[in-house]
Amino acid sequence: PNFTFWYSLVFSLVWHIGVPLLFYSLLKYHRVPEMANHKIKSALVGSLIDMFRQQHAHMEGWWVPHLSSWGSSEFHSKMDDLYDEVASRVTGTPEGNYLRALKGVLNDRFQLSLREKSIVAVMQRAGIDMKQSFDRKVFNDFMWEIAGKASLFEGSEELTDLSHKQLLELYIHPYVRLHYAVSELK
């Protein structure tokens, strides 16, 4: 065999093995696989945050602007005033009338258009049973729960910047659509 044959054979092997090895080593040198894994994890956490915010936005979103200027003591004093207003509108049996009174006060005071069904859904997510007594402490805890969940995420968090509380809430939150999708796959 002549020189051209060996030259072609060697460089055909170098091209097919050497170029992919060169590209792979450049990718590893510049940490592209690690960046891709980080992007995938960040996208997953971002989508979990978006789902969390979307599931808490239908009623709780109205509370976020008020939180930035209210401290804990001011919050509780404003909630005491709000509870007194709700209690002044209640007549008869507690369950339905508290809902109607709460809906009326929230709609009047904050210019909302809430329905009783959405208030009940939020109360159920907060673990409040309307058949029990709806006293001042339960009301304050309920409103604090709403305010805390609505302001937990800004939406621009990075995976590395999440606090323990945020990670825990993402872990324990019942993602309705995610659970539904997983159950459909079984």
Side-chain angles (χ1 to χ4, degrees), residues 20-177:
L21 278 174
L22 173 68
F23 284 139
Y24 180 74
S25 62
L26 285 173
L27 290 174
K28 288 300 272 184
Y29 177 75
H30 291 290
R31 297 182 177 184
V32 173
E34 290 90 359
M35 288 189 306
N37 284 334
H38 179 72
K39 290 264 187 195
I40 290 169
K41 290 175 185 174
S42 294
L44 177 64
V45 168
S47 67
L48 289 176
I49 290 171
D50 289 344
M51 284 188 345
F52 180 90
R53 293 184 74 210
Q54 184 178 13
Q55 289 177 4
H56 286 88
H58 73 279
M59 180 181 162
E60 296 94 325
W62 62 270
W63 204 253
V64 177
H66 301 290
L67 279 179
S68 59
S69 61
W70 292 1
S72 177
S73 62
E74 185 179 3
F75 177 87
H76 286 292
S77 108
K78 288 186 185 277
M79 289 306 100
D80 286 341
D81 295 342
L82 199 60
Y83 178 79
D84 292 338
E85 191 174 340
V86 169
S88 71
R89 291 190 186 192
V90 172
T91 56
T93 59
E95 184 182 339
N97 290 324
Y98 265 108
L99 279 174
R100 276 190 220 99
L102 182 59
K103 179 186 85 163
V105 168
L106 293 176
N107 287 342
D108 294 346
R109 189 174 283 193
F110 298 105
Q111 292 82 37
L112 300 172
S113 58
L114 298 174
R115 294 176 295 152
E116 287 181 26
K117 189 166 73 170
S118 63
I119 295 173
V120 169
V122 173
M123 287 181 159
Q124 287 173 343
R125 278 201 314 268
I128 294 174
D129 183 14
M130 283 303 292
K131 294 183 181 16
Q132 295 175 350
S133 66
F134 194 63
D135 60 359
R136 186 177 305 274
K137 181 182 178 340
V138 171
F139 180 77
N140 277 346
D141 291 347
F142 167 63
M143 297 305 275
W144 188 254
E145 179 78 14
I146 290 174
K149 296 236 186 210
S151 64
L152 189 58
F153 296 102
E154 295 174 6
S156 60
E157 290 85 3
E158 291 289 325
L159 176 61
T160 54
D161 299 334
L162 293 176
S163 69
H164 175 73
K165 182 178 180 181
Q166 289 171 322
L167 287 171
L168 182 64
E169 190 61 43
L170 285 176
Y171 181 72
I172 65 172
H173 181 70
Y175 292 97
V176 176
R177 287 177 290 178

